[in-house]
Amino acid sequence: MAHLMQEIFGYTDELSRALQKQDQDIVHAIELVDITKYHLEGLRTDPGWDDFLKKVTSFWTKHKIKIVDMEGPYFPAGQPRRGFFNGATNYHRFKVDMYASVIDRQISELNGRFDEVNTDLLSCMAAFCPLRLFAAYDQEKLVRLATKFYANDFTSDELARLPWQLNMYVTHVRRDERFQNLKNLCDLSVMLVETNKHEQYYIVYKLLKLVLILPVATASVERVFSSMNYVKNKLRSKMGDDYLNNCLVTFVEREFFNQVKDEDVINLFQKGNCKVIL
Protein backbone atom coordinates (compact mmCIF):
# COMPACT_ATOMS: atom_id res chain seq x y z
CA MET A 1 0.00 0.00 0.00
CA ALA A 2 2.90 2.38 0.69
CA HIS A 3 4.34 1.69 -2.75
CA LEU A 4 0.89 2.14 -4.33
CA MET A 5 0.39 5.49 -2.58
CA GLN A 6 3.81 6.63 -3.76
CA GLU A 7 2.98 5.56 -7.33
CA ILE A 8 -0.38 7.37 -7.42
CA PHE A 9 0.90 10.51 -5.70
CA GLY A 10 3.80 10.58 -8.13
CA TYR A 11 1.43 10.78 -11.10
CA THR A 12 -1.14 13.12 -9.52
CA ASP A 13 1.19 15.55 -7.74
CA GLU A 14 1.79 17.85 -10.71
CA LEU A 15 -1.93 18.07 -11.45
CA SER A 16 -2.75 18.83 -7.81
CA ARG A 17 -0.16 21.60 -7.68
CA ALA A 18 -1.38 23.10 -10.96
CA LEU A 19 -5.01 23.18 -9.82
CA GLN A 20 -4.10 24.83 -6.51
CA LYS A 21 -2.42 27.79 -8.18
CA GLN A 22 -4.46 30.96 -8.14
CA ASP A 23 -3.19 32.01 -11.60
CA GLN A 24 -3.67 28.80 -13.53
CA ASP A 25 -2.45 28.11 -17.02
CA ILE A 26 -5.62 26.47 -18.35
CA VAL A 27 -3.87 24.85 -21.29
CA HIS A 28 -1.31 23.30 -18.97
CA ALA A 29 -4.00 22.12 -16.54
CA ILE A 30 -6.05 20.44 -19.28
CA GLU A 31 -2.97 18.67 -20.60
CA LEU A 32 -2.11 17.47 -17.08
CA VAL A 33 -5.61 16.05 -16.60
CA ASP A 34 -5.32 13.98 -19.78
CA ILE A 35 -1.77 12.88 -19.00
CA THR A 36 -2.64 11.91 -15.41
CA LYS A 37 -5.64 9.86 -16.52
CA TYR A 38 -3.51 8.22 -19.21
CA HIS A 39 -0.86 7.06 -16.72
CA LEU A 40 -3.41 5.90 -14.13
CA GLU A 41 -5.19 3.86 -16.78
CA GLY A 42 -1.80 2.44 -17.74
CA LEU A 43 -1.24 1.35 -14.14
CA ARG A 44 -4.62 -0.38 -14.25
CA THR A 45 -3.54 -2.72 -17.07
CA ASP A 46 -1.83 -6.11 -16.60
CA PRO A 47 1.59 -4.77 -17.75
CA GLY A 48 1.20 -1.91 -15.27
CA TRP A 49 0.51 -4.39 -12.46
CA ASP A 50 3.49 -6.55 -13.50
CA ASP A 51 5.88 -3.58 -13.46
CA PHE A 52 4.51 -2.45 -10.10
CA LEU A 53 4.88 -5.94 -8.61
CA LYS A 54 8.50 -6.10 -9.81
CA LYS A 55 9.26 -2.86 -7.91
CA VAL A 56 7.64 -4.18 -4.74
CA THR A 57 9.38 -7.57 -5.03
CA SER A 58 12.72 -5.82 -5.56
CA PHE A 59 12.08 -3.79 -2.39
CA TRP A 60 11.30 -6.99 -0.44
CA THR A 61 14.49 -8.65 -1.68
CA LYS A 62 16.67 -5.63 -0.94
CA HIS A 63 15.43 -5.32 2.65
CA LYS A 64 15.21 -9.09 3.23
CA ILE A 65 11.45 -9.13 3.65
CA LYS A 66 9.58 -12.38 3.09
CA ILE A 67 8.12 -12.43 -0.43
CA VAL A 68 4.39 -13.10 -0.53
CA ASP A 69 3.21 -16.08 -2.56
CA MET A 70 0.59 -14.51 -4.84
CA GLU A 71 -1.01 -17.90 -5.55
CA GLY A 72 -1.33 -18.77 -1.88
CA PRO A 73 -4.39 -18.14 0.33
CA TYR A 74 -4.82 -14.69 1.81
CA PHE A 75 -4.76 -14.23 5.58
CA PRO A 76 -4.90 -10.73 7.14
CA ALA A 77 -1.84 -9.76 9.14
CA GLY A 78 -2.23 -9.83 12.90
CA GLN A 79 -5.28 -12.12 12.92
CA PRO A 80 -5.48 -15.88 13.60
CA ARG A 81 -5.52 -17.94 10.44
CA ARG A 82 -7.81 -20.63 11.81
CA GLY A 83 -11.33 -20.24 10.52
CA PHE A 84 -10.67 -17.11 8.47
CA PHE A 85 -9.82 -18.38 4.99
CA ASN A 86 -12.62 -17.44 2.58
CA GLY A 87 -11.11 -18.79 -0.63
CA ALA A 88 -9.39 -15.57 -1.70
CA THR A 89 -5.80 -15.71 -2.89
CA ASN A 90 -3.13 -13.12 -2.25
CA TYR A 91 -3.21 -12.29 -5.96
CA HIS A 92 -6.92 -11.44 -5.85
CA ARG A 93 -6.64 -9.56 -2.56
CA PHE A 94 -3.67 -7.40 -3.53
CA LYS A 95 -4.41 -6.81 -7.20
CA VAL A 96 -8.22 -6.66 -7.36
CA ASP A 97 -9.30 -5.53 -3.89
CA MET A 98 -6.43 -3.11 -3.24
CA TYR A 99 -4.42 -2.17 -6.33
CA ALA A 100 -7.16 -1.96 -8.95
CA SER A 101 -9.75 -0.64 -6.50
CA VAL A 102 -7.64 2.34 -5.42
CA ILE A 103 -6.71 3.23 -9.00
CA ASP A 104 -10.37 2.95 -10.09
CA ARG A 105 -11.35 5.42 -7.37
CA GLN A 106 -8.74 7.89 -8.53
CA ILE A 107 -9.84 7.61 -12.16
CA SER A 108 -13.50 7.87 -11.14
CA GLU A 109 -12.74 11.05 -9.16
CA LEU A 110 -10.98 12.61 -12.14
CA ASN A 111 -13.80 11.61 -14.49
CA GLY A 112 -16.34 13.07 -12.06
CA ARG A 113 -14.59 16.41 -11.72
CA PHE A 114 -13.45 16.59 -15.33
CA ASP A 115 -16.28 14.95 -17.23
CA GLU A 116 -16.87 15.43 -20.94
CA VAL A 117 -18.78 18.69 -20.47
CA ASN A 118 -16.29 20.26 -18.05
CA THR A 119 -13.33 19.15 -20.12
CA ASP A 120 -14.89 20.60 -23.27
CA LEU A 121 -15.57 23.87 -21.46
CA LEU A 122 -12.00 24.16 -20.17
CA SER A 123 -10.62 23.17 -23.56
CA CYS A 124 -12.61 25.96 -25.20
CA MET A 125 -11.45 28.42 -22.55
CA ALA A 126 -7.85 27.43 -23.21
CA ALA A 127 -8.16 28.78 -26.76
CA PHE A 128 -7.92 32.27 -25.22
CA CYS A 129 -4.50 31.55 -23.69
CA PRO A 130 -1.97 34.28 -24.72
CA LEU A 131 1.18 32.20 -24.20
CA ARG A 132 3.62 31.84 -27.10
CA LEU A 133 1.86 34.48 -29.21
CA PHE A 134 -1.57 32.92 -28.75
CA ALA A 135 -0.41 29.51 -29.98
CA ALA A 136 -3.50 27.83 -28.48
CA TYR A 137 -5.92 30.11 -30.36
CA ASP A 138 -8.75 28.18 -32.00
CA GLN A 139 -11.61 30.11 -33.53
CA GLU A 140 -13.90 27.08 -33.67
CA LYS A 141 -13.50 26.40 -29.94
CA LEU A 142 -14.16 30.02 -28.98
CA VAL A 143 -17.27 30.18 -31.15
CA ARG A 144 -18.46 26.93 -29.58
CA LEU A 145 -17.75 28.39 -26.15
CA ALA A 146 -20.07 31.32 -26.87
CA THR A 147 -22.83 29.39 -28.66
CA LYS A 148 -22.88 26.30 -26.43
CA PHE A 149 -22.07 27.53 -22.92
CA TYR A 150 -22.88 31.28 -22.94
CA ALA A 151 -25.54 31.60 -25.62
CA ASN A 152 -27.91 33.48 -23.28
CA ASP A 153 -25.29 36.19 -22.67
CA PHE A 154 -25.03 37.18 -26.34
CA THR A 155 -27.53 38.50 -28.85
CA SER A 156 -28.02 36.69 -32.16
CA ASP A 157 -26.26 39.57 -33.92
CA GLU A 158 -23.22 39.27 -31.62
CA LEU A 159 -22.99 35.53 -32.17
CA ALA A 160 -23.15 36.04 -35.93
CA ARG A 161 -20.36 38.63 -35.87
CA LEU A 162 -18.14 36.76 -33.40
CA PRO A 163 -16.13 34.60 -35.92
CA TRP A 164 -14.98 37.62 -37.95
CA GLN A 165 -14.20 39.68 -34.87
CA LEU A 166 -12.15 36.81 -33.44
CA ASN A 167 -10.00 36.64 -36.57
CA MET A 168 -9.48 40.39 -36.54
CA TYR A 169 -8.69 40.31 -32.83
CA VAL A 170 -6.06 37.55 -32.95
CA THR A 171 -4.29 39.10 -35.95
CA HIS A 172 -4.19 42.46 -34.17
CA VAL A 173 -2.82 41.18 -30.84
CA ARG A 174 -0.21 38.97 -32.52
CA ARG A 175 1.20 42.00 -34.32
CA ASP A 176 1.21 44.17 -31.20
CA GLU A 177 4.46 43.85 -29.21
CA ARG A 178 2.66 44.73 -25.98
CA PHE A 179 0.86 41.37 -26.09
CA GLN A 180 3.98 39.22 -26.57
CA ASN A 181 4.91 38.56 -22.93
CA LEU A 182 1.48 37.94 -21.42
CA LYS A 183 1.28 34.92 -19.13
CA ASN A 184 -2.40 34.35 -18.39
CA LEU A 185 -5.95 35.46 -19.14
CA CYS A 186 -5.91 38.12 -16.43
CA ASP A 187 -2.91 39.80 -18.03
CA LEU A 188 -4.67 39.61 -21.40
CA SER A 189 -7.77 41.28 -20.02
CA VAL A 190 -5.76 44.10 -18.43
CA MET A 191 -3.77 44.71 -21.61
CA LEU A 192 -6.92 44.84 -23.74
CA VAL A 193 -8.28 47.58 -21.47
CA GLU A 194 -4.99 49.50 -21.37
CA THR A 195 -4.78 49.50 -25.18
CA ASN A 196 -8.51 50.26 -25.63
CA LYS A 197 -8.94 47.11 -27.68
CA HIS A 198 -11.71 46.02 -25.35
CA GLU A 199 -13.94 48.59 -27.02
CA GLN A 200 -12.90 47.73 -30.54
CA TYR A 201 -13.38 44.00 -29.99
CA TYR A 202 -16.16 44.27 -27.44
CA ILE A 203 -17.75 40.90 -28.29
CA VAL A 204 -14.44 39.10 -27.80
CA TYR A 205 -13.81 41.01 -24.58
CA LYS A 206 -17.28 40.11 -23.34
CA LEU A 207 -16.53 36.43 -23.92
CA LEU A 208 -13.19 36.80 -22.17
CA LYS A 209 -14.88 38.33 -19.10
CA LEU A 210 -17.26 35.36 -18.93
CA VAL A 211 -14.27 33.02 -19.09
CA LEU A 212 -12.52 34.88 -16.26
CA ILE A 213 -15.58 34.53 -14.04
CA LEU A 214 -15.46 30.73 -14.12
CA PRO A 215 -12.25 30.21 -12.10
CA VAL A 216 -13.58 32.71 -9.55
CA ALA A 217 -16.84 30.78 -9.33
CA THR A 218 -15.11 27.42 -8.78
CA ALA A 219 -11.59 27.34 -7.33
CA SER A 220 -11.80 30.59 -5.36
CA VAL A 221 -15.18 29.74 -3.86
CA GLU A 222 -13.96 26.29 -2.82
CA ARG A 223 -10.91 27.93 -1.26
CA VAL A 224 -13.12 30.29 0.76
CA PHE A 225 -15.38 27.49 2.02
CA SER A 226 -12.32 25.50 3.07
CA SER A 227 -11.04 28.54 4.95
CA MET A 228 -14.32 28.86 6.84
CA ASN A 229 -13.44 25.72 8.81
CA TYR A 230 -10.49 27.58 10.28
CA VAL A 231 -12.08 31.02 10.71
CA LYS A 232 -15.57 30.11 11.94
CA ASN A 233 -14.81 27.47 14.55
CA LYS A 234 -16.60 26.47 17.75
CA LEU A 235 -15.26 29.49 19.62
CA ARG A 236 -16.51 31.86 16.89
CA SER A 237 -19.79 30.19 16.02
CA LYS A 238 -21.85 33.36 16.63
CA MET A 239 -19.82 35.88 14.63
CA GLY A 240 -21.77 38.22 12.34
CA ASP A 241 -21.58 38.39 8.56
CA ASP A 242 -19.40 41.51 8.45
CA TYR A 243 -16.92 40.15 10.98
CA LEU A 244 -16.81 36.79 9.18
CA ASN A 245 -16.30 38.48 5.81
CA ASN A 246 -13.44 40.62 7.13
CA CYS A 247 -11.73 37.63 8.73
CA LEU A 248 -12.09 35.54 5.56
CA VAL A 249 -10.63 38.28 3.37
CA THR A 250 -7.53 38.60 5.54
CA PHE A 251 -7.19 34.81 5.84
CA VAL A 252 -7.67 33.91 2.17
CA GLU A 253 -5.54 36.81 0.88
CA ARG A 254 -2.93 36.49 3.61
CA GLU A 255 -0.07 36.56 1.10
CA PHE A 256 -1.16 40.05 0.08
CA PHE A 257 -1.78 41.28 3.63
CA ASN A 258 1.61 40.00 4.80
CA GLN A 259 3.13 42.69 2.59
CA VAL A 260 1.33 45.45 4.49
CA LYS A 261 3.54 47.16 7.07
CA ASP A 262 2.38 47.39 10.69
CA GLU A 263 3.08 51.14 10.71
CA ASP A 264 0.64 51.69 7.83
CA VAL A 265 -2.11 49.82 9.68
CA ILE A 266 -1.48 51.78 12.88
CA ASN A 267 -1.55 55.11 11.04
CA LEU A 268 -4.81 54.13 9.34
CA PHE A 269 -6.45 53.31 12.67
CA GLN A 270 -5.18 56.55 14.24
CA LYS A 271 -6.76 58.58 11.45
CA GLY A 272 -10.08 56.87 12.16
CA ASN A 273 -10.47 55.55 8.61
CA CYS A 274 -10.74 51.88 9.53
CA LYS A 275 -13.05 49.80 11.70
CA VAL A 276 -11.71 47.32 14.19
CA ILE A 277 -12.33 43.83 12.84
CA LEU A 278 -10.11 41.70 15.07
Side-chain angles (χ1 to χ4, degrees), residues 23-34:
D23 296 327
Q24 299 177 17
D25 179 0
I26 300 176
V27 177
H28 182 57
I30 289 297
E31 292 175 348
L32 282 176
V33 171
D34 293 336

Side-chain angles (χ1 to χ4, degrees), residues 251-269:
F251 186 86
V252 174
E253 303 295 341
R254 53 187 177 276
E255 293 181 359
F256 171 78
F257 282 97
N258 285 336
Q259 301 175 10
V260 179
K261 297 181 180 179
D262 294 341
E263 292 78 6
D264 295 335
V265 177
I266 295 174
N267 292 334
L268 190 62
F269 274 102

Side-chain angles (χ1 to χ4, degrees), residues 161 165 168 172 195-203:
R161 296 170 56 190
Q165 191 170 117
M168 294 289 292
H172 201 162
T195 57
N196 290 325
K197 288 182 174 59
H198 70 296
E199 296 180 354
Q200 184 177 358
Y201 304 109
Y202 70 95
I203 305 176

Side-chain angles (χ1 to χ4, degrees), residues 228-244 247:
M228 287 183 64
N229 296 327
Y230 296 96
V231 175
K232 192 172 183 179
N233 51 37
K234 293 182 179 179
L235 299 177
R236 296 174 172 175
S237 59
K238 295 183 180 180
M239 64 168 52
D241 292 340
D242 291 339
Y243 184 30
L244 175 62
C247 290

Side-chain angles (χ1 to χ4, degrees), residues 89-104:
T89 62
N90 288 320
Y91 177 85
H92 184 276
R93 176 59 177 169
F94 288 117
K95 181 181 180 181
V96 178
D97 295 343
M98 294 183 180
Y99 181 82
S101 178
V102 171
I103 295 176
D104 286 343

